[in-house]
């Protein structure tokens, strides 16, 4: 028993130093003024028109990018789960290869591709086709979100699909279910834990991002992450930044609650 406690020591130190203490600092700044007095005004900053607009835009773009990731990821995960192991391993390797590159570099690469005189528009101009003008628009931000976060949707769904017993699917077909009925009544319900995990892993970082909107939005489209970043870095107002961060944590906690409820190791159940 003592050995187990000693082994848990480094993890406890890490959790306290890099999770608990930073959260307590954020909570302290969120509920205090510059003079150190207790206040709710920092949290109330979320109700200003500018911050509400940024929060609404963040939720909208996060929802759209999550939906697109789910639409793209589920068929891909099904294809991967039905292939042979050697083929699947190679395809998964190619698919997650961009994740080994720095997040900032990946986003900068898309900025180079999408800008007015970028690679894509140069090719379109050479082919005498209309230029693609989506840089510094919400469409470019969504594209960046989908590209960066799509693997986080594919992998949880894939991990759940490969654990589904094929005998269950074959039994459904033997009982007369067509492919659509088999998917709706068996495959999809059993894969819901992976879907919920994927949605959480995409929605939360998409909601809090500021790098993608900075680079692909050109600073013209403010998301709530940009507002928080500006509060800390440009305005040096840790109190307002912490208050907005604390409000944003509500969405993260809600996502974690969904994971705790639906993300089961053994998978979902057919209905």
């Amino acid at each position: 028993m003592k050995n187990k406690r000693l082994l848990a020591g480094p993890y406890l130190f890490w959790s306290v130093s890099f999770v608990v203490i930073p959260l307590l600092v954020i909570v302290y700044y969120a509920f205090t003024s510059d003079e150190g007095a207790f206040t709710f005004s920092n949290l109330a900053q979320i109700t200003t028109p500018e911050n509400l607009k940024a929060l609404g835009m963040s939720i909208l773009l996060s929802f759209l990018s999550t939906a697109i990731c789910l639409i793209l990821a589920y068929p891909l995960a099904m294809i991967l789960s039905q292939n042979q192991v050697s083929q699947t391993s190679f395809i998964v390797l190619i698919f997650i290869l961009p994740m080994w590159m720095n997040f900032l570099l990946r986003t900068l690469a898309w900025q180079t591709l999408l800008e007015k005189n970028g690679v894509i528009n140069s090719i379109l101009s050479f082919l005498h086709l209309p230029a693609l003008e989506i840089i510094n628009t919400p469409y470019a931000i969504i594209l960046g979100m989908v590209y960066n976060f799509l693997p986080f949707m594919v992998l949880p769904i894939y991990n759940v699909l490969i654990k589904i017993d094929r005998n269950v699917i074959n039994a459904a077909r033997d009982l007369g279910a067509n492919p659509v009925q088999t998917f709706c009544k068996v495959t999809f319900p059993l894969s819901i834990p992976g879907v919920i995990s994927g949605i959480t892993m995409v929605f939360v970082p998409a909601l809090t991002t500021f790098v993608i909107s900075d680079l692909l939005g050109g600073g013209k489209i403010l998301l709530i992450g940009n507002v928080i970043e500006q509060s800390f870095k440009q305005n040096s107002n840790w109190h307002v930044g912490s208050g907005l961060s604390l409000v944003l944590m509500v969405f993260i906690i809600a996502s974690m609650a969904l994971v705790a409820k639906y993300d089961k190791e053994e998978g979902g159940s057919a209905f």
Side-chain angles (χ1 to χ4, degrees):
M1 198 65 180
K2 280 187 176 181
N3 291 335
K4 290 183 179 179
R5 291 179 179 176
L6 289 175
L7 290 174
Y11 300 101
L12 181 61
F13 173 78
W14 176 274
S15 299
V16 172
S17 301
F18 299 102
V19 178
V20 177
I21 293 178
L23 283 176
L24 291 177
V25 171
I26 292 295
V27 171
Y28 169 77
Y29 277 105
F31 288 102
T32 56
S33 63
D34 292 333
E35 294 77 22
F38 181 83
T39 180
F40 286 105
S41 61
N42 298 318
L43 277 70
Q45 288 295 316
I46 195 67
T47 60
T48 63
E50 296 81 7
N51 292 340
L52 281 177
K53 182 180 178 181
L55 179 60
M57 181 62 72
S58 298
I59 294 173
L60 176 61
L61 296 187
S62 302
F63 177 80
L64 290 175
S65 61
T66 303
I68 294 171
C69 283
L70 179 59
I71 293 172
L72 295 176
Y74 202 100
L76 177 60
M78 288 193 66
I79 293 171
L80 292 176
S81 66
Q82 294 171 1
N83 283 339
Q84 296 179 359
V85 175
S86 58
Q87 295 176 344
T88 300
S89 300
F90 177 75
I91 296 173
V92 171
L93 175 64
I94 295 299
F95 187 77
I96 67 174
L97 194 59
M99 295 176 62
W100 297 351
M101 190 191 308
N102 183 271
F103 178 86
L104 181 60
L105 293 179
R106 297 200 307 266
T107 309
L108 282 171
W110 271 109
Q111 186 184 41
T112 304
L113 290 172
L114 296 176
E115 61 186 3
K116 292 183 179 180
N117 297 320
V119 176
I120 294 177
N121 280 336
S122 297
I123 295 173
L124 293 175
S125 177
F126 177 78
L127 298 174
H128 302 287
L129 295 174
L132 187 66
E133 298 181 357
I134 67 170
I135 192 68
N136 300 338
T137 67
Y139 303 106
I141 297 175
I142 291 175
L143 179 60
M145 288 180 176
V146 171
Y147 173 76
N148 282 292
F149 302 136
L150 182 60
F152 298 108
M153 181 72 76
V154 174
L155 296 179
I157 298 175
Y158 167 73
N159 287 332
V160 170
L161 289 175
I162 60 175
K163 294 178 182 178
I164 296 177
D165 191 348
R166 297 299 163 189
N167 292 327
V168 176
I169 297 176
N170 293 332
R173 293 174 178 173
D174 289 342
L175 291 172
N178 58 41
V180 175
Q181 291 173 326
T182 302
F183 173 78
C184 294
K185 297 292 185 180
V186 179
T187 305
F188 184 73
L190 292 175
S191 65
I192 284 179
V195 172
I196 296 296
S197 294
I199 290 174
T200 303
M201 294 175 67
V202 172
F203 183 79
V204 171
L207 182 65
T208 57
T209 187
F210 60 90
V211 174
I212 295 175
S213 51
D214 264 345
L215 296 178
L216 301 183
K220 298 179 180 179
I221 302 169
L222 284 181
L223 304 184
I224 191 64
N226 300 109
V227 176
I228 294 173
E229 182 209 14
Q230 291 175 5
S231 297
F232 279 103
K233 296 178 66 176
Q234 295 182 13
N235 303 329
S236 297
N237 194 335
W238 284 41
H239 299 279
V240 172
S242 298
L244 296 176
S245 300
L246 204 59
V247 173
L248 198 57
M249 285 182 190
V250 172
F251 296 93
I252 300 175
I253 293 173
S255 300
M256 293 176 63
L258 283 175
V259 173
K261 184 176 181 180
Y262 295 105
D263 188 17
K264 300 176 182 178
E265 181 68 25
E266 67 272 17
S269 57
F271 52 81

